[in-house]
Amino acid sequence: ILLNNKWQGMVRQWQESFYEKRYSHSNMQSGMPDFIQLANAYGIRGKVIAPNDKLNIQQELIDAIFTPGPCFIDCQITKEENCYPMVKPGEGNSEMVGVDKPADIRN
């Protein structure tokens, strides 16, 4: 399953969160491969699921999952969809944003 916001998602998220929305070379709409044709070229069924389709998204996912053989699902999401946890620039993995801090085990 590809969660496709047509951007380099984490790069766009960093540009939005830490660089005052100065987007640079992270929009992939121009030049983005046709993932369904690419999947078909390898003999894999491909399916696009978009939130603006008048489809039952849950049923579409079930149909794709229970298709015999592999199925590539291009699940289109909004540009603004963010991914957490994430690490701020210059910080370590122990300082992630979007997760609760672990309890101090010494207490």
Side-chain angles (χ1 to χ4, degrees):
I1 298 176
L2 169 66
L3 298 178
N4 185 356
N5 69 351
K6 297 180 177 66
W7 287 67
Q8 292 179 9
M10 187 62 77
V11 174
R12 184 212 49 82
Q13 185 173 332
W14 269 42
Q15 291 169 341
E16 175 185 286
S17 301
F18 307 116
Y19 299 103
E20 300 169 356
K21 297 184 179 180
R22 292 189 311 259
Y23 301 115
S24 178
H25 306 288
S26 54
N27 184 330
M28 299 301 293
Q29 287 181 311
S30 176
M32 184 172 62
D34 183 328
F35 293 107
I36 302 307
Q37 284 188 353
L38 189 57
N40 291 336
Y42 286 94
I44 298 170
R45 178 174 174 250
K47 181 174 202 59
V48 175
I49 298 176
N52 58 351
D53 289 345
K54 295 183 193 283
L55 303 172
N56 181 334
I57 294 174
Q58 182 178 2
Q59 188 59 51
E60 290 293 314
L61 283 170
I62 290 169
D63 292 346
I65 291 169
F66 288 102
T67 296
C71 183
F72 181 91
I73 305 168
D74 182 352
C75 188
Q76 298 183 355
I77 59 175
T78 63
K79 164 191 159 186
E80 296 80 15
E81 197 68 44
N82 287 328
C83 178
Y84 292 99
M86 67 181 282
V87 179
K88 289 182 179 180
E91 294 193 8
N93 286 344
S94 64
E95 302 165 295
M96 289 185 187
V97 175
V99 293
D100 293 333
K101 298 273 185 215
D104 188 348
I105 60 172
R106 293 173 285 183
N107 290 335

mmCIF file of all heavy atoms in Angstrom, residues 13 20 38 48 60 70 72 77 81 86-87 91 103:
data_model
loop_
_atom_site.group_PDB
_atom_site.id
_atom_site.type_symbol
_atom_site.label_atom_id
_atom_site.label_comp_id
_atom_site.label_asym_id
_atom_site.label_seq_id
_atom_site.Cartn_x
_atom_site.Cartn_y
_atom_site.Cartn_z
ATOM 1 N N GLN A 13 6.840 17.690 4.949
ATOM 2 C CA GLN A 13 6.501 17.909 6.351
ATOM 3 C C GLN A 13 7.591 18.714 7.051
ATOM 4 O O GLN A 13 7.302 19.628 7.816
ATOM 5 C CB GLN A 13 6.291 16.563 7.040
ATOM 6 C CG GLN A 13 5.829 16.661 8.472
ATOM 7 C CD GLN A 13 5.474 15.297 9.040
ATOM 8 O OE1 GLN A 13 5.091 14.389 8.336
ATOM 9 N NE2 GLN A 13 5.613 15.155 10.346
ATOM 10 N N GLU A 20 9.412 27.253 7.462
ATOM 11 C CA GLU A 20 8.433 28.285 7.127
ATOM 12 C C GLU A 20 7.714 28.028 5.807
ATOM 13 O O GLU A 20 7.474 28.937 5.022
ATOM 14 C CB GLU A 20 9.113 29.658 7.127
ATOM 15 C CG GLU A 20 9.724 30.008 8.463
ATOM 16 C CD GLU A 20 10.624 31.222 8.420
ATOM 17 O OE1 GLU A 20 10.855 31.784 7.334
ATOM 18 O OE2 GLU A 20 11.112 31.601 9.493
ATOM 19 N N LEU A 38 3.184 0.742 -13.627
ATOM 20 C CA LEU A 38 4.422 0.101 -13.186
ATOM 21 C C LEU A 38 4.127 -1.259 -12.556
ATOM 22 O O LEU A 38 4.785 -2.254 -12.861
ATOM 23 C CB LEU A 38 5.151 1.011 -12.196
ATOM 24 C CG LEU A 38 6.555 0.633 -11.788
ATOM 25 C CD1 LEU A 38 7.474 0.505 -12.993
ATOM 26 C CD2 LEU A 38 7.115 1.666 -10.816
ATOM 27 N N VAL A 48 -6.207 2.173 -7.621
ATOM 28 C CA VAL A 48 -6.148 3.507 -7.024
ATOM 29 C C VAL A 48 -7.366 3.679 -6.132
ATOM 30 O O VAL A 48 -8.493 3.393 -6.545
ATOM 31 C CB VAL A 48 -6.142 4.611 -8.107
ATOM 32 C CG1 VAL A 48 -6.208 5.990 -7.470
ATOM 33 C CG2 VAL A 48 -4.922 4.492 -8.995
ATOM 34 N N GLU A 60 -13.392 -1.155 -1.023
ATOM 35 C CA GLU A 60 -12.331 -1.168 -2.036
ATOM 36 C C GLU A 60 -11.056 -1.798 -1.469
ATOM 37 O O GLU A 60 -10.380 -2.578 -2.144
ATOM 38 C CB GLU A 60 -12.050 0.246 -2.547
ATOM 39 C CG GLU A 60 -13.153 0.833 -3.387
ATOM 40 C CD GLU A 60 -13.306 0.100 -4.715
ATOM 41 O OE1 GLU A 60 -12.295 -0.161 -5.377
ATOM 42 O OE2 GLU A 60 -14.450 -0.209 -5.069
ATOM 43 N N PRO A 70 -0.660 -10.810 -5.707
ATOM 44 C CA PRO A 70 -0.317 -9.490 -5.161
ATOM 45 C C PRO A 70 -1.192 -8.391 -5.754
ATOM 46 O O PRO A 70 -1.693 -8.502 -6.870
ATOM 47 C CB PRO A 70 1.147 -9.305 -5.576
ATOM 48 C CG PRO A 70 1.319 -10.188 -6.767
ATOM 49 C CD PRO A 70 0.383 -11.341 -6.586
ATOM 50 N N PHE A 72 -1.090 -4.008 -5.803
ATOM 51 C CA PHE A 72 -0.490 -2.727 -5.426
ATOM 52 C C PHE A 72 -1.623 -1.726 -5.251
ATOM 53 O O PHE A 72 -2.431 -1.529 -6.152
ATOM 54 C CB PHE A 72 0.475 -2.252 -6.518
ATOM 55 C CG PHE A 72 1.156 -0.962 -6.189
ATOM 56 C CD1 PHE A 72 2.369 -0.968 -5.532
ATOM 57 C CD2 PHE A 72 0.579 0.249 -6.522
ATOM 58 C CE1 PHE A 72 2.995 0.232 -5.213
ATOM 59 C CE2 PHE A 72 1.193 1.451 -6.203
ATOM 60 C CZ PHE A 72 2.409 1.437 -5.551
ATOM 61 N N ILE A 77 -3.913 10.333 -0.548
ATOM 62 C CA ILE A 77 -4.236 11.081 0.662
ATOM 63 C C ILE A 77 -3.994 12.566 0.400
ATOM 64 O O ILE A 77 -3.417 12.943 -0.615
ATOM 65 C CB ILE A 77 -3.403 10.586 1.867
ATOM 66 C CG1 ILE A 77 -1.903 10.736 1.600
ATOM 67 C CG2 ILE A 77 -3.756 9.141 2.207
ATOM 68 C CD1 ILE A 77 -1.009 10.393 2.764
ATOM 69 N N GLU A 81 -1.355 15.608 4.885
ATOM 70 C CA GLU A 81 -1.287 14.460 5.797
ATOM 71 C C GLU A 81 0.153 14.315 6.294
ATOM 72 O O GLU A 81 1.084 14.226 5.510
ATOM 73 C CB GLU A 81 -1.727 13.196 5.074
ATOM 74 C CG GLU A 81 -2.069 12.067 5.989
ATOM 75 C CD GLU A 81 -3.326 12.328 6.802
ATOM 76 O OE1 GLU A 81 -4.324 12.811 6.247
ATOM 77 O OE2 GLU A 81 -3.291 12.046 8.006
ATOM 78 N N MET A 86 8.356 11.826 14.190
ATOM 79 C CA MET A 86 9.394 12.370 13.319
ATOM 80 C C MET A 86 10.492 12.975 14.184
ATOM 81 O O MET A 86 10.293 13.254 15.363
ATOM 82 C CB MET A 86 8.823 13.405 12.354
ATOM 83 C CG MET A 86 8.330 14.670 13.012
ATOM 84 S SD MET A 86 7.638 15.876 11.860
ATOM 85 C CE MET A 86 9.094 16.594 11.167
ATOM 86 N N VAL A 87 11.645 13.167 13.573
ATOM 87 C CA VAL A 87 12.802 13.712 14.282
ATOM 88 C C VAL A 87 13.065 15.107 13.744
ATOM 89 O O VAL A 87 13.152 15.309 12.534
ATOM 90 C CB VAL A 87 14.043 12.813 14.090
ATOM 91 C CG1 VAL A 87 15.256 13.395 14.798
ATOM 92 C CG2 VAL A 87 13.761 11.405 14.589
ATOM 93 N N GLU A 91 18.372 16.889 15.823
ATOM 94 C CA GLU A 91 18.108 16.166 17.060
ATOM 95 C C GLU A 91 18.232 14.667 16.828
ATOM 96 O O GLU A 91 18.230 14.198 15.691
ATOM 97 C CB GLU A 91 16.724 16.520 17.607
ATOM 98 C CG GLU A 91 16.657 17.981 18.032
ATOM 99 C CD GLU A 91 15.439 18.314 18.850
ATOM 100 O OE1 GLU A 91 14.697 17.401 19.235
ATOM 101 O OE2 GLU A 91 15.241 19.504 19.109
ATOM 102 N N ALA A 103 8.598 6.918 30.523
ATOM 103 C CA ALA A 103 8.688 7.190 31.969
ATOM 104 C C ALA A 103 10.110 6.919 32.444
ATOM 105 O O ALA A 103 10.792 6.032 31.928
ATOM 106 C CB ALA A 103 7.699 6.301 32.704
#
